[in-house]
Amino acid sequence: MDQETKTAQSIETPVTAANVDLGNCDRELIQYSGAIQPHGVLLVLHEPELRILQASANAAAVFGLSMENLLTSDAEALLGALNTRQLRKRLGSTQLDGSPVHLLRLDVRNQQRFHVFGHRIDGVLILELEMAGDAAAETLDLYSELRMAISRLQATASLDQFMNLAVEQIREFTGFDRVMAYRFLEDGSGDVTAESLKPGLQPYLGLRYPASDIPLPARRLFSLSWVRHLPDVHYEPIPIVPATNPMTNGPLDLTYAFTRSLSVMYTDYLKNMGAQATLVITILKKGALWGLISCQNHERPVHVPYETRMACEFLGHMISLLMDSKEDIG
């Protein structure tokens, strides 16, 4: 086989989690990871009968069924009649072509309470389940703090002041050890423009990172989702069963799935930085990716509850909206 043929084949071969390396990570199809993170459960359903087509391997234990039985079931067999009626009502009244939408909370057989999120893609309905706590009081406090944070951000006199306050506020909300604002420059490199960190940590403020640190596939997905969370960089991916989506005869597209398993190149990068958990908030300017607010925990893994993530998402929206005016004044 000559070199030209080898090169042509390498270009045509899809880059996935199975064959990614430093030389091809800018072409990795990270939306086809074929797995999720273990803090969630994923179900793929065919509508309108809500028949189960695929499921993450941990779904069987959650619902008390064998994987074989689960994959021949429907939503009512898993969620119960009442929850399924509520689900159908929400599915009929909610736009689900994009980022996952919170649909309902439910209790499964062993009294575990879950948030249920849904979105549609490639002709299927994807439901993601995540453990839910009793965070009512904390949520009220959080939204009160959020209103005050927005008021403070509006009052800042320059972009630097604005971004410094933004990272401080997000660190207060999330409790992460480090929060930094990361701006993409014209050459694709990234510049750390603001940082709030726990005493004793090495500062990253002012550092510039090459464009290859955040490859184009990752930037595309960041631009489609306001918040991405990785509770534990050392997690073991949970495979999706079966691996092929019966509706497309291809891998399941997890572009919008918040539980999607991440690229091993990204998790290795975080491990090298000493991060145990991350949360990333997208910052847009005129609809294009301007930068990221990156939260890292170095001391231990941390799962940020849904309510806090939604507050961070709202703050990401507000930062994106307010940023233009702050750039105009300096």
Side-chain angles (χ1 to χ4, degrees):
M1 184 181 296
D2 60 33
Q3 185 60 43
E4 184 176 345
T5 302
K6 288 182 180 179
T7 301
Q9 286 188 352
S10 68
I11 292 173
E12 294 171 1
T13 301
V15 180
T16 65
N19 62 348
V20 66
D21 57 38
L22 285 173
N24 60 20
C25 62
D26 61 335
R27 294 189 290 113
E28 183 183 3
L29 302 176
I30 55 179
Q31 69 271 34
Y32 299 126
S33 64
I36 65 166
Q37 300 173 50
H39 68 282
V41 176
L42 185 140
L43 301 171
V44 182
L45 298 90
H46 183 268
E47 296 179 284
E49 69 274 26
L50 299 183
R51 174 170 50 91
I52 308 299
L53 299 173
Q54 293 173 279
S56 55
N58 57 354
V62 168
F63 293 106
L65 296 171
S66 68
M67 205 64 189
E68 181 180 5
N69 287 338
L70 188 148
L71 290 172
T72 57
S73 299
D74 59 17
E76 187 167 334
L78 301 185
L79 310 181
L82 177 60
N83 285 322
T84 303
R85 283 198 297 272
Q86 293 176 338
L87 176 63
R88 286 187 181 278
K89 184 177 180 179
R90 290 282 281 140
L91 293 176
S93 62
T94 309
Q95 175 61 253
L96 296 177
D97 298 322
S99 296
V101 174
H102 188 274
L103 297 174
L104 70 155
R105 286 168 56 139
L106 65 87
D107 294 323
V108 296
R109 61 184 184 90
N110 53 2
Q111 298 305 304
Q112 291 184 91
R113 177 162 291 181
F114 288 90
H115 290 295
V116 181
F117 307 83
H119 71 282
R120 295 185 178 100
I121 194 167
D122 287 345
V124 299
L125 170 67
I126 295 180
L127 296 184
E128 294 173 272
L129 283 68
E130 180 183 37
M131 286 287 290
D134 186 11
E138 291 84 351
T139 300
L140 290 175
D141 290 341
L142 185 65
Y143 289 153
S144 177
E145 293 172 9
L146 185 60
R147 287 196 299 271
M148 290 189 289
I150 292 170
S151 178
R152 294 189 194 108
L153 285 167
Q154 289 174 320
T156 54
S158 69
L159 182 62
D160 285 345
Q161 210 178 77
F162 176 78
M163 296 309 297
N164 284 328
L165 180 59
V167 296
E168 287 174 10
Q169 294 296 300
I170 291 172
R171 187 166 166 242
E172 285 186 21
F173 291 155
T174 62
F176 275 88
D177 295 335
R178 180 195 307 273
V179 178
M180 54 185 173
Y182 186 95
R183 178 178 184 174
F184 293 119
L185 304 179
E186 288 186 6
D187 63 359
S189 62
D191 183 27
V192 180
T193 62
E195 184 179 43
S196 175
L197 71 166
K198 183 178 179 180
L201 290 178
Q202 177 184 352
Y204 295 158
L205 182 63
L207 295 183
R208 182 171 294 183
Y209 294 91
S212 58
D213 276 13
I214 303 180
L216 290 177
R219 297 187 194 211
R220 184 183 75 84
L221 293 194
F222 278 131
S223 70
L224 295 175
S225 177
W226 285 100
V227 174
R228 287 285 182 182
H229 181 31
L230 173 58
D232 185 354
V233 299
H234 299 285
Y235 76 96
E236 290 293 329
I238 306 295
I240 295 170
V241 182
T244 299
N245 179 349
M247 298 300 296
T248 63
N249 293 317
L252 181 66
D253 189 338
L254 297 173
T255 291
Y256 295 104
F258 71 88
T259 58
R260 174 179 57 83
S261 186
L262 304 178
S263 171
V264 66
M265 304 305 296
Y266 178 59
T267 54
D268 283 351
Y269 175 78
L270 293 171
K271 290 172 188 176
N272 289 337
M273 295 180 71
Q276 301 292 316
T278 65
L279 183 142
V280 179
I281 302 168
T282 295
I283 304 299
L284 301 177
K285 181 180 180 182
K286 294 182 172 64
L289 186 64
W290 179 90
L292 306 169
I293 292 183
S294 176
C295 312
Q296 297 181 358
N297 219 59
H298 297 274
E299 185 176 332
R300 58 181 175 81
V302 58
H303 176 252
V304 179
Y306 159 69
E307 293 82 2
T308 303
R309 297 200 310 270
M310 290 305 96
C312 289
E313 177 174 325
F314 184 73
L315 198 52
H317 278 275
M318 293 306 301
I319 290 169
S320 296
L321 289 171
L322 292 170
M323 192 171 53
D324 270 354
S325 63
K326 301 304 173 183
E327 284 192 318
D328 289 342
I329 62 176

